Amino acid sequence: MSDVIVNVTGLRKAFGQLEVLKGIDLKVERGQVVCIIGPSGSGKSTLLRCVNLLEEPNGGTVVVGEHELTDPDVDLDFARRGIGMVFQSFNLFAHLSVLDNLTIAQRKVLKRDKDEAKKIALANLERVGLSEKAHAMPSQLSGGQQQRAAIARALAMDPEVMLFDEPTSALDPELVGDVLSVMRRLADEGMTMLVVTHEMQFAREVADKVLFMDAGVVVEQGPPSQVIADPQEPRTQEFLSRVL
Ligand code: ADP
Ligand code: MG
C-alpha cells in the first residue's frame, strides 16, 4: 500500500478566463505536514478547495486515500469523510452549542449514536484544551477558542488528513499561539496535515515540506531548511524578504 495520502497531479482550475491553477503536482505522505506559502491571490485556497472538490478542477487528478475525487463516478460524500477542513473564518454553527457543533456531523454523516458522538466530542475538546467550553455558544468564545472548536469538530470525524486554510489569519495576535500549539500537537501525534499559512516560524519548525506558490504554479518546494531558509528562486526570495 502506498503511503501517499494526498496525490494531486496536473491540477488546473480557471474561473472564466482567469487561470488560477496552472498544473499543480502535490504529494502528501502519511504523517507529513506540508505547508503552502505564497502571496495573496496565488491560488493557495483554490488548491486546498480542489483537494476536497469544494471547487471542481478543470483538469488533472486528485486522489485522497483510496478515493479518486476527480473520478466522475466517485461517491463524493463518502470520499470526503476522510478529509477534515478548517477555514480562516471558523464556520461554527452559531445557533448550536460547542458540543452540538461537534456531534451533529458525527450523528448525521457517520450515524454514531448520541452517547458515542458525545464521548468522542468531549475527547476532542479535551485534545484542543476546550473541555470547559462544551456547553458554551460559539459567540461566548474568543476567536482562538472558536478556531480550536472548529479543529476539534473536524477531528471528531476521524479524518485521514486535515486541510487548514490560514487558520490563524483572522485571529488577534495574542490568540494565534494557542491555535498553533494545537496544530503542533496534532503534527506530533502523527496527523497528516496540509496547511496554507503565513506563519513562517510554524512552517519552518513543523513542516516536513514547504511549497511556495505564485500565480498558480508551484515555484519551489522542499524541506523548510531549503525553501524558507535558503530559497533558490528569485520569486521565493522576494516573497520571503517581504514576510520574514
Ligand atoms: P490565495 O488563497 O492564494 O490568496 P485564491 O485561491 O483565493 O488565492 O485566489 C486565486 C485567484 O482566484 C484570485 O485571483 C481570486 O480572485 C480568484 N478566485 C478565487 N475564487 C474565485 C471564484 N469563486 N470566482 C472567481 N475568481 C476566484
Ligand atoms: Mg486564500
Side-chain angles (χ1 to χ4, degrees), residues 169-208:
S169 292
L171 298 177
D172 292 335
E174 75 273 20
L175 303 177
V176 168
D178 286 347
V179 171
L180 292 180
S181 317
V182 165
M183 293 172 65
R184 269 172 211 265
R185 204 171 325 131
L186 286 181
D188 289 342
E189 289 170 10
M191 177 63 71
T192 309
M193 297 164 51
L194 182 54
V195 185
V196 173
T197 187
H198 289 291
E199 297 290 336
M200 292 303 141
Q201 187 71 18
F202 176 85
R204 186 184 288 211
E205 291 173 10
V206 181
D208 297 291

Side-chain angles (χ1 to χ4, degrees), residues 83-146:
I83 308 172
M85 178 130 185
V86 174
F87 300 89
Q88 188 174 331
S89 54
F90 328 140
N91 295 3
L92 295 172
F93 299 114
H95 62 291
L96 296 180
S97 71
V98 169
L99 184 62
D100 289 344
N101 263 279
L102 267 74
T103 54
I104 187 167
Q106 294 187 64
R107 300 198 59 195
K108 291 201 164 157
V109 178
L110 302 182
K111 312 289 182 206
R112 287 179 181 153
D113 71 35
K114 199 173 171 183
D115 289 344
E116 192 192 8
K118 185 174 170 185
K119 190 172 135 228
I120 292 169
L122 292 173
N124 280 291
L125 284 174
E126 168 143 33
R127 217 169 158 189
V128 302
L130 275 186
S131 295
E132 77 285 12
K133 297 293 183 187
H135 299 288
M137 298 302 284
S139 61
Q140 299 171 305
L141 305 185
S142 73
Q145 290 170 333
Q146 289 185 51

Side-chain angles (χ1 to χ4, degrees), residues 35 37 197 199-207 209-212 220-232 236-237 239-241 243-244:
C35 286
I37 62 172
T197 187
E199 297 290 336
M200 292 303 141
Q201 187 71 18
F202 176 85
R204 186 184 288 211
E205 291 173 10
V206 181
K209 183 163 79 176
V210 176
L211 270 73
F212 172 68
E220 186 165 356
Q221 64 171 298
S225 57
Q226 187 183 313
V227 177
I228 296 179
D230 186 25
Q232 299 302 303
T236 319
Q237 291 166 357
F239 172 75
L240 288 168
S241 73
V243 299
L244 282 180

Side-chain angles (χ1 to χ4, degrees), residues 39-46 88 165-166 196 198:
S40 181
S42 57
K44 305 180 300 294
S45 294
T46 304
Q88 188 174 331
D165 191 359
E166 296 196 32
V196 173
H198 289 291

